[in-house]
Amino acid sequence: LNRKYEQELLRLEKNKFFIQYNENTREQALNDVRDLIQSYSKEGVYLWDPFLSAADIKNTLYFTPYSNVPLKAITNLKTTEKITKEDILKNYISEFERDDINYLFLNLEVRTRWSNYGQDFHDRFLIFPLEQPKVWSLGTSVNSLGKSHHILQEVKNAQHILNAFNKLWDQLNRRECLVWKTTK
């Protein structure tokens, strides 16, 4: 019985349907996410993570091998008395404007929950808007991949996750919610 479960786990890990990470596995976790992006991003990639930074986007979405597919990201900018929304936006702009010219042709848009637009969220997903969508739960934010225990796993009800993402995306279609949009 144990052998059966071990073989099943190996198959799931090989296909990236279920992988457990522990601390000090950052590169492996990032590479697995990048492999998924390279495998499934022909129609686009959406990233939904409340703590998403520009560096996180560059570590993930920039690895799509397809040009001009929609890359969408939703984050939830948190401000404090010392850190304003403008400070956070300057960081995004500074990070993206340093990019190699090859990345300037990406079709990237980042939105944030802001004020009364949208709602708070906790879960983190990597979404591929294919005809038959594919979605992975990251188990942690991109900035923490492989730094402590978490599980990357494929989600069975992918269409429902995609629908929820699109609903929030539409709610955030406001100037105040725009973090970054590549200009063509």
Side-chain angles (χ1 to χ4, degrees):
L1 192 59
N2 280 345
R3 183 179 168 143
K4 176 184 170 185
Y5 287 118
E6 287 174 17
Q7 289 176 340
E8 174 67 6
L9 182 59
L10 288 174
R11 184 189 69 76
L12 291 171
E13 288 174 344
K14 179 181 178 213
N15 293 311
K16 295 184 181 35
F17 296 146
F18 178 94
I19 304 174
Q20 287 190 74
Y21 301 95
N22 293 306
E23 59 186 85
N24 301 318
T25 57
R26 176 122 177 107
E27 284 308 309
Q28 178 192 351
L30 277 172
N31 286 334
D32 288 341
V33 167
R34 292 168 182 161
D35 286 347
L36 290 170
I37 289 170
Q38 290 174 0
S39 297
Y40 298 108
S41 63
K42 67 182 176 187
E43 299 296 324
V45 187
Y46 304 167
L47 192 52
W48 194 357
D49 180 340
F51 300 105
L52 203 57
S53 70
D56 297 331
I57 291 168
K58 291 170 83 167
N59 273 322
T60 55
L61 297 182
Y62 275 33
F63 284 81
T64 182
Y66 303 100
S67 60
N68 210 30
V69 297
L71 305 176
K72 297 180 180 181
I74 297 176
T75 187
N76 193 359
L77 299 181
K78 299 285 186 185
T79 60
T80 66
E81 286 182 23
K82 293 182 181 180
I83 303 172
T84 66
K85 181 180 178 187
E86 289 73 29
D87 294 332
I88 297 169
L89 294 177
K90 283 179 190 174
N91 179 278
Y92 268 87
I93 292 166
S94 171
E95 185 73 31
F96 288 137
E97 285 182 345
R98 286 197 293 248
D99 285 344
D100 181 292
I101 193 163
N102 294 328
Y103 294 113
L104 297 178
F105 299 104
L106 292 176
N107 181 6
L108 172 64
E109 185 168 347
V110 182
R111 296 181 183 175
T112 186
R113 181 195 173 279
W114 192 254
S115 187
N116 294 326
Y117 305 117
Q119 70 275 347
D120 274 331
F121 56 92
H122 175 78
D123 294 325
R124 290 94 164 148
F125 295 105
L126 181 64
I127 303 166
F128 301 99
L130 301 162
E131 186 175 330
Q132 295 284 319
K134 291 198 161 288
V135 174
W136 273 259
S137 171
L138 298 175
T140 192
S141 287
V142 172
N143 63 9
S144 296
L145 289 173
K147 292 183 178 179
S148 63
H149 182 268
H150 66 95
I151 296 172
L152 173 74
Q153 62 182 323
E154 186 176 21
V155 175
K156 292 291 182 196
N157 298 304
Q159 185 66 56
H160 296 296
I161 303 295
L162 176 59
N163 293 348
F165 178 94
N166 285 333
K167 181 178 179 182
L168 181 56
W169 185 259
D170 290 344
Q171 292 171 356
L172 302 177
N173 191 14
R174 306 265 193 254
R175 183 183 53 80
E176 300 89 347
C177 299
L178 181 64
V179 175
W180 174 265
K181 185 173 184 174
T182 306
T183 56
K184 300 265 177 186

